[in-house]
């Protein structure tokens, strides 16, 4: 076992301890504990006077009562009214003014201006009522003296808390603005990339469509005319799809179709040589528009994959409700032999489908099953559509 220098161990222990202390000291709970300890430290100074006063408390019991009162400051974020009410009790019983300052600060700090102002007014009313009663120790001889002693304590504490509350709002607003600016920068960059993709890829698709049309015209009357016409039509539709996806993505008029667009997808797949059997349950048509768009994209990807990897094989697509979930199944027979050319594929289609379904709380599986390739998507129904 190699020898580890003691100095290295000490440095590691100090570093770990410093990190833990930093994390603890900056946590809200730690700050609340420090606040409670600070208030208790100030109130302990009054223990000798409380023990001599006629309140049936000794030095030990007075310390315990003040400790319990200070401990309520741990709740000042979630339940700031608790230390406030306890402070009013201590104010009337022990004439203790320290805890009320922390309580008023906490109300202004974590509940805002109106709550802090209301609590300050309540404190002043209670204090004045106590001032008019006999037994208030060494109270000023006049109302002005009372106001000069009690009111500034509450107003100053609450005012500092409200100022901290407003500072928190300003910091939160600045953080939100910074986040919005970052998101806008990302969106601008995506828009710029989208435009570049549209300009470059769109140009190549346009050239492909024009060349296919020229070849179609030249091969008129031959066996290849129909193939060139379909190629030109596919290039034009790909260009339109690229334009709709990138340029007009935010336009509701070009939004992703729902289940009503599936028959057209089936006809398109049949034109590509892969017949489609489409079965949609009547209740499945009532799912929300957002889930209809997700189903459309899943079926679109399934038909595209079938055309690439199993050309000519029939694809069966079924949709039906199973309790609170929609089951979408796309199944096609595996090809008897591999295609003569490897299909062009990015390898991310299934991953994209799975992530789209997962984002809506569903699951998707895609794997060979008994001589066929089967994709099963289960989505929660969600809110019914119109």
């Amino acid at each position: 076992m190699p020898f580890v220098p003691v100095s290295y161990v000490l440095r590691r222990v100090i570093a770990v301890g410093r990190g833990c202390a930093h994390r603890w000291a900056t946590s809200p709970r730690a700050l609340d504990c420090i606040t409670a300890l600070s208030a208790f430290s100030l109130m302990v100074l009054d223990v000798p006077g409380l023990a001599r006063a006629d309140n049936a408390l000794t030095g030990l019991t007075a310390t315990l009562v003040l400790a319990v009162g200070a401990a309520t400051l741990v709740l000042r974020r979630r339940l700031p009214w608790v230390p406030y009410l306890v402070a009013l009790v201590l104010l009337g019983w022990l004439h203790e003014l320290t805890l009320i300052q922390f309580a008023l600060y906490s109300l202004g700090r974590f509940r805002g201006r109106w709550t802090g102002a209301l609590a300050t007014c309540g404190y002043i009313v209670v204090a004045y009522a106590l001032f008019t009663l006999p037994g208030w120790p060494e109270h000023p001889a006049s109302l002005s003296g009372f106001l000069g002693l009690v009111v500034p304590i509450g107003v100053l504490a609450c005012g500092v808390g409200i100022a901290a509350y407003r500072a928190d709002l300003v910091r939160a607003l600045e953080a939100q603005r910074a986040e919005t600016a970052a998101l806008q920068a990302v969106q601008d960059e995506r828009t710029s990339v989208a435009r570049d993709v549209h300009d470059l890829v769109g140009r190549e698709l346009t050239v492909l469509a024009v060349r296919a049309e020229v070849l179609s015209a030249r091969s008129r009357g031959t066996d290849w005319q129909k193939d060139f016409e379909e190629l030109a039509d596919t290039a034009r539709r790909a260009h339109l799809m690229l334009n709709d996806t990138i340029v007009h993505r935010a336009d509701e008029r070009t939004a992703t179709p729902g289940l009503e667009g599936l028959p057209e997808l089936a006809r398109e797949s049949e034109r590509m040589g892969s017949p489609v059997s489409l079965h949609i349950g009547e209740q499945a048509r009532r799912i929300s528009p957002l889930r209809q768009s997700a189903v459309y994209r899943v079926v679109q990807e399934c038909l595209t994959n079938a055309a690439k990897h199993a050309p000519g094989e029939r694809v069966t697509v079924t949709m039906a409700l199973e309790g609170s979930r929609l089951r979408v199944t796309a199944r096609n027979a595996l090809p008897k032999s591999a295609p003569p050319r490897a299909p062009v594929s990015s390898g991310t289609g299934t991953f994209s489908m799975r992530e789209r379904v997962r984002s809506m709380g569903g699951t998707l599986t895609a794997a060979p099953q008994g001589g066929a390739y089967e994709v099963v998507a289960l989505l929660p129904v969600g809110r019914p559509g119109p």
Side-chain angles (χ1 to χ4, degrees):
M1 181 177 180
F3 174 74
V4 180
V6 177
S7 60
Y8 172 79
V9 176
L10 289 177
R11 286 196 301 269
R12 291 294 299 168
V13 170
I14 293 173
V16 172
R18 186 178 300 171
C20 294
H22 177 73
R23 287 192 298 270
W24 186 85
T26 55
S27 66
R29 181 172 297 181
L31 294 177
D32 293 340
C33 292
I34 293 174
T35 302
L37 288 174
S38 301
F40 177 68
S41 300
L42 293 175
M43 289 191 291
V44 164
L45 300 177
D46 297 332
V47 168
L50 295 177
R52 291 193 302 267
D54 185 16
N55 51 28
L57 292 178
T58 64
L60 177 59
T61 55
T63 302
L64 293 176
V65 169
L66 296 180
V68 172
T72 59
L73 289 173
V74 178
L75 306 174
R76 66 193 189 114
R77 296 177 188 269
R78 295 177 298 170
L79 302 170
W81 288 104
V82 172
Y84 173 77
L85 295 176
V86 172
L88 291 182
V89 172
L90 294 182
L91 178 65
W93 179 23
L94 305 177
H95 313 292
E96 175 61 56
L97 291 172
T98 302
L99 184 60
I100 192 65
Q101 300 176 55
F102 285 86
L104 288 174
Y105 169 84
S106 300
L107 280 167
R109 175 73 168 76
F110 301 110
R111 290 298 183 267
R113 179 176 57 185
W114 295 111
T115 302
L118 177 63
T120 303
C121 292
Y123 153 71
I124 293 174
V125 170
V126 172
Y128 181 73
L130 295 173
F131 169 76
T132 58
L133 296 176
W136 185 277
E138 301 179 1
H139 61 79
S142 63
L143 180 61
S144 61
F146 164 79
L147 295 177
L149 172 67
V150 175
V151 174
I153 291 177
V155 173
L156 182 61
C158 183
V160 174
I162 293 173
Y165 177 80
R166 293 175 64 87
D168 285 345
L169 292 180
V170 171
R171 284 194 294 268
L173 181 60
E174 290 176 351
Q176 185 177 4
R177 286 177 176 174
E179 183 180 358
T180 302
L183 292 176
Q184 185 62 41
V186 172
Q187 184 61 36
D188 292 342
E189 181 64 20
R190 288 178 176 176
T191 302
S192 177
V193 172
R195 288 172 179 170
D196 291 341
V197 171
H198 178 266
D199 293 341
L200 298 174
V201 179
R203 177 182 177 278
E204 298 301 322
L205 288 175
T206 302
V207 171
L208 176 61
V210 172
R211 292 281 296 171
E213 290 175 355
V214 171
L215 292 174
S216 175
R218 290 180 179 177
S219 62
R220 192 163 297 160
T222 65
D223 296 337
W224 300 286
Q225 178 182 355
K226 183 178 179 181
D227 294 334
F228 284 124
E229 289 177 351
E230 291 181 354
L231 178 61
D233 182 63
T234 301
R236 284 192 298 269
R237 286 187 287 107
H239 194 191
L240 291 175
M241 188 180 300
L242 180 69
N243 184 69
D244 289 344
T245 303
I246 295 180
V247 180
H248 303 296
R249 187 176 182 87
D251 191 346
E252 293 183 356
R253 294 171 299 178
T254 58
T256 302
L259 301 186
E260 73 280 357
L262 294 180
E264 179 59 32
L265 273 183
R267 288 190 289 269
E268 180 182 351
S269 179
E270 290 176 356
R271 288 194 295 267
M272 296 168 61
S274 297
V276 177
S277 297
L278 190 60
H279 306 282
I280 305 176
E282 189 61 33
Q283 292 183 336
R285 300 181 183 273
R286 300 178 58 189
I287 63 175
S288 64
L290 180 62
R291 284 164 174 76
Q292 289 194 28
S293 299
V295 171
Y296 179 90
R297 290 302 188 194
V298 169
V299 174
Q300 184 183 46
E301 184 65 28
C302 290
L303 296 182
T304 301
N305 289 340
K308 289 190 297 185
H309 301 284
E313 300 293 342
R314 176 172 292 276
V315 184
T316 303
V317 179
T318 59
M319 298 177 202
L321 289 183
E322 292 184 353
S324 61
R325 297 189 300 177
L326 174 69
R327 182 184 181 92
V328 181
T329 305
R331 184 183 179 91
N332 61 270
L334 294 174
K336 298 179 177 59
S337 59
R341 290 188 178 183
V344 178
S345 176
S346 62
T348 61
T350 302
F351 176 80
S352 299
M353 286 193 299
R354 185 174 289 112
E355 289 301 311
R356 182 183 294 273
V357 173
R358 184 182 300 171
S359 66
M360 296 185 179
T363 59
L364 184 140
T365 58
Q369 293 285 344
Y373 193 82
E374 186 177 71
V375 177
V376 179
L378 294 173
L379 293 93
V381 175
R383 184 179 178 181

